[in-house]
Amino acid sequence: MNIKLSLLTSCVALSLCFCAPENSKKLVVSNTTSNDRSELVSIAKADVDTFFSNNKQLVITDASGKQVPYQITHDELVIFPACVKANSSSTYKLTSGKCEEFAPQVFGKHYPERVDDIAWENNRVAFRTYGPQLQQKNERAFGYDIWNKRTEELVVDARYNGELNPSVKAKCDSLRAAGLNDEADDLYNSVSYHVDHGNGMDCYKVGPTLGGGTAALLDANDQIVYPYCWAEYKILDNGPLRFTVELTYNPTYIDGDSVVETRLISLDAGSQLNKTTVTYANLSTPHKVAAGIVVHPENPDAYILNNENKYMAYEDLGDPNQYKEKYREAQNKDFGKIYVGAVFTGDIDTEYRAFSEEEKPLHGNGSALGHILGKAQYDKQFSYYWGAGWSRNEQTNIHSLEDWTNYLKEFSDNLNNPLQVTIE
């Protein structure tokens, strides 16, 4: 079954009641919080397998009879968007029939032509992580990169196609060979994803740091053991509502152990945050693990650490030096503010950790000051959420650090009080 579906970009919670006929079931989604909720919920596919009989498709409708998109995930869940008012419930109906087509709202891909990047996105945000070709070039890039968006359209593929366009590259090379460097720079900027062409841009600075929320083990001396680029990958879900990738890393020696790290990263339509679960094989002694967000000198104190509500947040101003000087006045005004954060599922200890004098050469000679860290005791796995927002994205309500911390706090509250789905 190959159905194109998506999370609806806006919906109104419905709490109307209806009687389900005998060949259908009701799904009652309950919200016990004081927040209006619009998010993906799930049921086990095994619980509704009868609705896939006789080559028919599962159909989910809301109380008004309108079809709702869904996806069957790699771990055999049926996920769909639910909208529920505060302290209320909404009712949906399951039946068999012909499912409508909906536009996808998530996408991800491996880009071997760009030194093995894996990039992914939803209708709010986009991210990438670096692969083995980059590691072979000896470029130190440990962390997640953030690609700002200000559109609900899926743009990652088009950005790579522009940045890597072979005819444009050949023309730029020709212009430079002729000494026409300004013309070559102008042509490159006309397609580069480092310039906002109307849908957003990449202006986040990762460098040799944990970037936008990467996890790393701490050794016996409480020092970060930086993970390098992934060695193997599997894309497990690729829309329409959830993207999931599994990354496996080469062995790293930590306090005498040859440790193999595996990450499971998923991004849902409509969310600013990825869910990530990290596991470490062959770890023989107890260790702490930390998720880190890099702090840059352009905004050194704009971070918030909240152990009680289990989140940390930072306001990044983008890389002021990514353009040649002649372009900076025009381009840097487009940066806006990049809001980076993480939400944790268990007990957490947050801190700001500056780079030592010995570490500074490794981390870009002053282009980064340190990290904010969320530290926990590692026990079989480490799950947390990380992601970003952009002040220039009018599709969201995240335009200040206060807006961002409110989003993270509400996200944390919702994690502790998940929407409950019952089948009747």
Side-chain angles (χ1 to χ4, degrees), residues 123-244:
N123 55 327
R124 294 285 183 264
V125 285
F127 307 93
R128 69 171 165 179
T129 191
Y130 303 107
Q133 281 191 60
L134 191 73
Q135 182 169 341
Q136 291 163 13
K137 292 176 178 291
N138 294 317
E139 183 175 340
R140 294 181 174 271
F142 310 115
Y144 298 125
D145 193 15
I146 295 164
W147 278 16
N148 299 312
K149 289 180 62 172
R150 57 187 183 102
T151 177
E152 294 189 342
E153 300 298 319
L154 300 178
V155 300
V156 161
D157 223 25
R159 288 189 186 180
Y160 274 108
N161 290 339
E163 179 81 10
L164 304 176
N165 186 303
S167 63
V168 173
K169 183 179 185 303
K171 181 63 175 176
C172 286
D173 291 344
S174 176
L175 289 170
R176 294 190 196 285
L180 301 174
N181 291 324
D182 285 348
E183 288 85 345
D185 291 341
D186 289 342
L187 179 59
Y188 170 71
N189 281 351
S190 72
V191 298
S192 173
Y193 52 54
H194 294 290
V195 176
D196 187 355
H197 302 295
N199 61 42
M201 65 196 302
D202 173 22
C203 58
Y204 185 69
K205 181 168 50 175
V206 179
T209 74
L210 295 176
T214 306
L217 282 172
L218 303 179
D219 67 15
N221 296 315
D222 201 39
Q223 298 303 302
I224 297 171
V225 181
Y226 289 91
Y228 219 155
C229 302
W230 58 265
E232 297 178 357
Y233 82 96
K234 295 179 184 177
I235 293 178
L236 305 178
D237 297 309
N238 205 355
L241 300 175
R242 175 174 292 168
F243 171 83
T244 306

Side-chain angles (χ1 to χ4, degrees), residues 246-249 260-264 276-281 382:
E246 181 183 76
L247 304 175
T248 305
Y249 290 74
V260 176
E261 175 185 354
T262 301
R263 300 181 200 169
L264 194 66
T276 296
T277 297
V278 183
T279 56
Y280 299 99
F382 176 57

Side-chain angles (χ1 to χ4, degrees), residues 340-370:
V340 195
V343 174
F344 302 93
T345 59
D347 291 337
I348 201 73
D349 180 24
T350 57
E351 68 173 46
Y352 169 71
R353 182 179 294 190
F355 294 134
S356 67
E357 291 302 317
E358 293 77 13
E359 291 177 296
K360 284 181 180 179
L362 170 66
H363 297 288
N365 295 317
S367 65
L369 299 178

Side-chain angles (χ1 to χ4, degrees), residues 15 83 96 185 298 327:
S15 57
C83 301
S96 297
D185 291 341
E298 294 79 26
Y327 294 109

Side-chain angles (χ1 to χ4, degrees), residues 38-113:
S38 179
E39 60 198 62
L40 296 185
V41 295
S42 66
I43 53 176
K45 181 178 179 293
D47 292 339
V48 295
D49 271 344
T50 56
F51 293 100
F52 295 99
S53 60
N54 301 320
N55 296 318
K56 291 185 177 180
Q57 300 170 355
L58 177 71
V59 173
I60 304 177
T61 54
D62 62 23
S64 70
K66 187 175 182 179
Q67 283 201 24
V68 172
Y70 69 90
Q71 177 182 334
I72 302 170
T73 65
H74 76 280
D75 49 352
E76 294 291 291
L77 297 176
V78 178
I79 59 174
F80 65 95
C83 301
V84 195
K85 291 289 188 182
N87 300 304
S88 184
S89 64
S90 294
T91 304
Y92 297 82
K93 184 174 73 172
L94 287 173
T95 189
S96 297
K98 180 176 176 57
C99 188
E100 297 177 9
E101 289 194 3
F102 298 86
Q105 293 288 316
V106 299
F107 172 77
K109 187 178 174 182
H110 172 221
Y111 291 90
E113 65 271 32

